[in-house]
Amino acid sequence: MTPPFAPGGADFPSGKARLHVWSSFRRQNAKGPTWVCVPINGKKAPVSDLPVSPPSAAPSPSSTLSRVDVLAVDDTPANLRALEVLMADLGANVITAASGDEALRLLLEREFALILLDVQMPGMDGYDTASLIRMRERTRHIPIIYITAFNRSEVNVSRGYELGAVDYLFKPIVPEILRTKVSVFLELHRKKEEVRRQEALLRQAESRAHAQQLAEARAHYERSLLQQEVERERKVSEAREQRAQELAKLVQEKEQAQAELSAVAREREQLILALREADRRKDEFLAMLAHELRNPLAPVRHALEVFQLRAPQDEILQRAFASADRQVSHMTRLVDDLLDVSRITRGKVEIRPRLVTFKEIVDGAIQACDPFIQQRHHTLTVSLPEEPLILNVDSTRMTQVVANLLHNAAKYTPSGGRIELTARRDNADLVLSVRDNGVGLRPEMLQRVFDLFVQVDPGSDRAQGGLGLGLTLVRSLVEMHGGRVSAHSSGLSQGSEFIVRLPLPAEATAPLALPNMLKSAASNGLSLRPLNILLVEDNPDIRETLRDLLELHGHHVAEASDGRAAVELVLSQRPQVALVDIGLPELDGYQVAELVRASAGGADTRLVALTGYGHPEDRKRALAAGFDAHLVKPVSSEDLSQVLKRLCNAA
């Protein structure tokens, strides 16, 4: 009789949950064995106090199964006891651990068929524990089932599968599901162990058979001196035939064992293919998400620039427009960060270094973070050396580094706190320090704080928003520039300090005049006359706001809302520049470019792709189709003007 189980659960603080299950025990009475069900929730009577069947009772189903070890890791004792009860009759020795460290120690001492691993644990969480397990050759192939109180939308399922998880169980746990999944892996482990045992037996049998054959051969040789030659040949023939049969049997058994192992390999390969497909779908979703978020941002940015050009020179209005423009830029950066998640892990973030003063980078970062710092009523002090420090860096990315450090300090410092930004030259390095008197860091977080999606104080961070990418981007970008970053803190409520070291260029002549020289060269060498521009965009808001912005800059603008009309207008009007959206009806932007380049009448028109897709692969595809430039929405008038200057002056 299968004992009944009923699932239940209750939320605990910090995202934890206690497993509520009903455990059954057989008890013998005058009318025969009956089942007694008692709740196991960590507060009831222990199992040892409950009535159980006497020794004369029928053996439980687990007595017919070979016992294997299962490791259950959870920082809640009640949850561990519930798991022990659930697997009591599955032939499993449930070994429990209350933390990731204890689990790693147990894995050094013994082997396990399966690991049930809680995701949310203090100190080392389930993901970090799984990562360390996978680093050790002896334990990297043990299947792991994650147990979590978060729902599927909250938990980082992709990361768990990347670390070797085979499944997730979400609390409250349905006992039948847990028992079924655990039984599958226990049975798989037993089959593997049986295969190993059979192989050992086969090797032993072969060794014994070989020894026996040697003894028989020696005895036969001694007898052959007294027997006739015919008898000796007969014995030898029989021995050979017997040996051939034994070898054939051994080969058959070995082939059978290999067939069973290949079935396991095929299942593993199918799982790997499924994970790769899930990763591909994730990348496609992020690309589509970025495209759908960029399209609404484009008309907002264009409208803001139109307002700034047409609105009266009112200081309050200009400040409001500037603030809104910074927020649009911030939203654009968040969209880019979403796409950078996969590229960060593969080290494919692109940087474009140029000579820039460190003060320009600090000014840009402070301008981006000042609204948030003022909102939190913090005091920001900045101390820079008197000598101008010249860096050869990607100014946008390095401004993002400093801004992320300031934003992080403001976020984790209580209202009215103090933030200090200092910089100094140390031989051939620039040393930047951002210090605060905020919540501080525990010692174990000083290294983990730079990991992907790690948040120091989840409760506080969710109140302020954030993806847990800021410090990860800081480390990646600093290291890509040949530098390094470190975190320091005396403990909780003692504040934190982040120190960045960047190499200075070997030579930097005329540092004071360099920024002005660059701006002067840009303005004098790239003057732009009014152009005849064809704007091809099916979104009316984007088309109309960008048209108004171009006309305010003195250009003559014609419009088209689909790809077929765009080709006709290019070939008939021959504009100097065509700004073409990629996602057009009838003919998409790539087809428009190919048709225009295939015609002699479209050779002189410069084609610029406007798209919400910003992957490097999208840029390569646009250039291969015949575009001269590729811009990602939302496009600022400054970026667009620079592209138009470059293309038209080059013509």
Side-chain angles (χ1 to χ4, degrees):
M1 176 177 178
T2 302
F5 289 85
D11 290 338
F12 273 60
S14 302
K16 300 295 291 181
R18 174 174 295 172
L19 299 176
H20 286 184
V21 300
W22 288 97
S23 179
S24 306
F25 299 86
R26 292 184 65 178
R27 181 171 64 189
Q28 196 78 18
N29 58 23
K31 297 181 179 180
T34 61
W35 289 99
V36 178
C37 298
V38 296
I40 303 297
N41 59 8
K43 295 184 178 180
K44 303 298 182 179
V47 173
S48 59
D49 296 338
L50 300 174
V52 298
S53 58
S56 59
S60 64
S62 62
S63 63
T64 63
L65 301 174
S66 60
R67 307 293 293 186
V68 295
D69 291 344
V70 174
L71 178 59
V73 187
D74 197 304
D75 59 319
T76 303
N79 290 351
L80 294 174
R81 183 56 183 150
L83 290 173
E84 289 181 305
V85 174
L86 282 173
M87 295 183 286
D89 61 341
L90 298 181
N93 298 320
V94 181
I95 311 300
T96 62
S99 66
D101 291 334
E102 184 178 356
L104 294 176
R105 288 195 296 270
L106 288 172
L107 286 166
L108 292 174
E109 300 171 356
R110 58 201 305 169
E111 295 184 356
F112 294 94
L114 175 65
I115 301 175
L116 301 176
L117 183 58
D118 185 31
V119 172
Q120 190 73 7
M121 295 186 296
M124 184 186 301
D125 64 12
Y127 293 138
D128 291 336
T129 304
S131 177
L132 292 175
I133 291 173
R134 292 298 179 235
M135 291 173 61
R136 186 165 176 258
E137 181 64 29
R138 180 180 173 187
T139 60
R140 66 171 51 184
H141 299 298
I142 301 177
I144 298 174
I145 298 179
Y146 284 112
I147 299 179
T148 178
F150 293 111
N151 59 45
R152 184 172 292 274
S153 64
E154 293 176 319
V155 73
N156 190 354
V157 175
S158 297
R159 186 184 178 196
Y161 285 137
E162 290 174 357
L163 293 175
V166 297
D167 208 342
Y168 270 83
L169 289 174
F170 297 89
K171 302 176 183 178
I173 292 175
V174 179
E176 289 80 4
I177 295 178
L178 172 65
R179 288 166 53 82
T180 299
K181 293 183 176 182
V182 169
S183 298
V184 170
F185 288 103
L186 295 185
E187 183 61 24
L188 179 61
H189 181 78
R190 293 188 179 100
K191 287 183 177 179
K192 290 181 179 178
E193 292 300 317
E194 180 62 20
V195 169
R196 294 175 186 170
R197 190 181 69 84
Q198 291 295 335
E199 287 180 345
L201 291 176
L202 289 175
R203 289 192 295 269
Q204 294 175 4
E206 186 177 2
S207 177
R208 289 194 300 268
H210 183 67
Q212 180 180 357
Q213 291 300 320
L214 289 176
E216 291 178 358
R218 187 180 296 109
H220 177 73
Y221 176 75
E222 293 174 352
R223 291 193 302 270
S224 67
L225 297 176
L226 303 175
Q227 296 176 348
Q228 296 180 357
E229 185 67 20
V230 175
E231 183 67 15
R232 187 186 67 81
E233 291 295 335
R234 184 180 67 82
K235 292 292 184 181
V236 171
S237 177
E238 291 178 354
R240 289 175 178 174
E241 182 180 358
Q242 181 181 1
R243 178 63 176 166
Q245 293 176 352
E246 291 175 351
L247 289 176
K249 182 179 179 181
L250 290 174
V251 170
Q252 182 180 3
E253 293 176 347
K254 183 178 180 180
E255 290 177 350
Q256 182 179 357
Q258 290 177 342
E260 294 179 357
L261 289 175
S262 64
V264 175
R266 282 195 297 271
E267 292 178 1
R268 181 177 179 274
E269 183 66 23
Q270 291 174 355
L271 179 60
I272 293 175
L273 292 176
L275 291 175
R276 289 176 178 171
E277 175 65 15
D279 186 64
R280 184 189 65 81
R281 291 179 179 272
K282 179 262 296 179
D283 289 340
E284 291 179 354
F285 170 75
L286 287 177
M288 182 60 67
L289 175 64
H291 179 269
E292 294 303 318
L293 291 176
R294 281 175 172 145
N295 272 336
L297 288 174
V300 175
R301 177 181 285 278
H302 300 157
L304 285 172
E305 295 184 1
V306 170
F307 289 156
Q308 287 178 303
L309 292 173
R310 295 295 300 271
Q313 296 301 314
D314 182 279
E315 182 179 355
I316 296 178
L317 284 178
Q318 292 300 320
R319 279 203 307 269
F321 294 149
S323 175
D325 185 67
R326 285 194 298 271
Q327 297 308 311
V328 171
S329 299
H330 180 63
M331 281 292 296
T332 304
R333 176 58 68 184
L334 286 178
V335 172
D336 291 337
D337 286 348
L338 282 174
L339 290 177
D340 281 344
V341 170
S342 59
R343 283 182 283 175
I344 289 171
T345 57
R346 299 194 302 268
K348 293 187 177 180
V349 176
E350 182 181 2
I351 62 171
R352 297 169 183 168
R354 67 179 181 88
L355 292 178
V356 61
T357 64
F358 183 63
K359 186 177 183 303
E360 290 182 58
I361 292 174
V362 172
D363 290 343
I366 293 176
Q367 183 182 18
C369 297
D370 187 64
F372 184 60
I373 293 175
Q374 295 298 328
Q375 177 187 352
R376 303 276 291 179
H377 305 290
H378 295 321
T379 300
L380 172 63
T381 59
V382 179
S383 176
L384 302 179
E386 294 183 359
E387 63 167 323
L389 299 176
I390 305 299
L391 297 175
N392 186 23
V393 297
D394 186 318
S395 59
T396 301
R397 290 298 193 177
M398 196 51 60
T399 300
Q400 182 183 4
V401 167
V402 180
N404 282 0
L405 291 176
L406 290 174
H407 192 274
N408 183 76
K411 181 191 298 184
Y412 291 105
T413 300
S415 179
R418 185 178 68 258
I419 302 173
E420 300 174 1
L421 186 153
T422 61
R424 60 183 175 86
R425 176 192 287 271
D426 183 12
N427 296 325
D429 290 341
L430 165 70
V431 179
L432 165 69
S433 169
V434 177
R435 181 193 297 268
D436 62 69
N437 62 341
V439 299
L441 292 169
R442 297 188 301 273
E444 65 270 17
M445 291 299 297
L446 293 178
Q447 293 298 326
R448 290 192 57 234
V449 73
F450 295 103
D451 292 343
L452 197 62
F453 301 122
V454 170
Q455 296 169 336
V456 176
D457 185 354
S460 173
D461 191 61
R462 292 197 176 107
Q464 299 297 333
L467 301 175
L469 292 174
L471 293 179
T472 303
L473 282 171
V474 167
R475 181 176 64 180
S476 298
L477 295 176
V478 168
E479 291 178 351
M480 291 177 68
H481 285 86
R484 60 185 184 274
V485 61
S486 58
H488 305 273
S489 177
S490 299
L492 294 179
S493 303
Q494 300 298 314
S496 304
E497 181 182 17
F498 290 85
I499 297 178
V500 175
R501 298 185 71 95
L502 289 172
L504 293 169
E507 297 181 0
T509 59
L512 290 174
L514 181 60
N516 293 330
M517 290 170 58
L518 292 176
K519 294 178 181 177
S520 176
S523 60
N524 295 334
L526 293 176
S527 58
L528 183 64
R529 63 186 183 278
L531 301 172
N532 292 323
I533 298 176
L534 173 62
L535 176 59
V536 186
E537 172 63 67
D538 62 320
N539 187 308
D541 289 337
I542 300 177
R543 186 175 66 249
E544 293 170 3
T545 53
L546 184 54
R547 177 201 62 201
D548 294 340
L549 184 60
L550 291 170
E551 290 179 344
L552 285 173
H553 283 84
H555 303 297
H556 307 289
V557 182
E559 302 176 49
S561 59
D562 61 75
R564 197 171 302 280
V567 175
E568 294 176 357
L569 287 174
V570 169
L571 299 181
S572 62
Q573 297 185 6
R574 298 190 178 184
Q576 294 166 285
V577 178
L579 306 177
V580 184
D581 180 35
I582 294 297
L584 294 172
E586 297 189 25
L587 299 176
D588 64 23
Y590 300 121
Q591 294 171 308
V592 170
E594 291 170 353
L595 291 174
V596 168
R597 293 307 183 213
S599 174
D604 296 331
T605 299
R606 296 291 180 261
L607 300 180
V608 179
L610 299 179
T611 175
Y613 297 102
H615 278 291
E617 293 79 6
D618 301 316
R619 175 181 173 82
K620 292 179 182 177
R621 183 180 177 187
L623 297 179
F627 282 100
D628 299 289
H630 177 274
L631 292 175
V632 180
K633 300 176 183 178
V635 182
S636 67
S637 60
E638 180 181 356
D639 293 339
L640 182 57
S641 296
Q642 291 297 325
V643 170
L644 294 178
K645 289 177 184 178
R646 176 172 59 83
L647 294 178
C648 295
N649 286 337

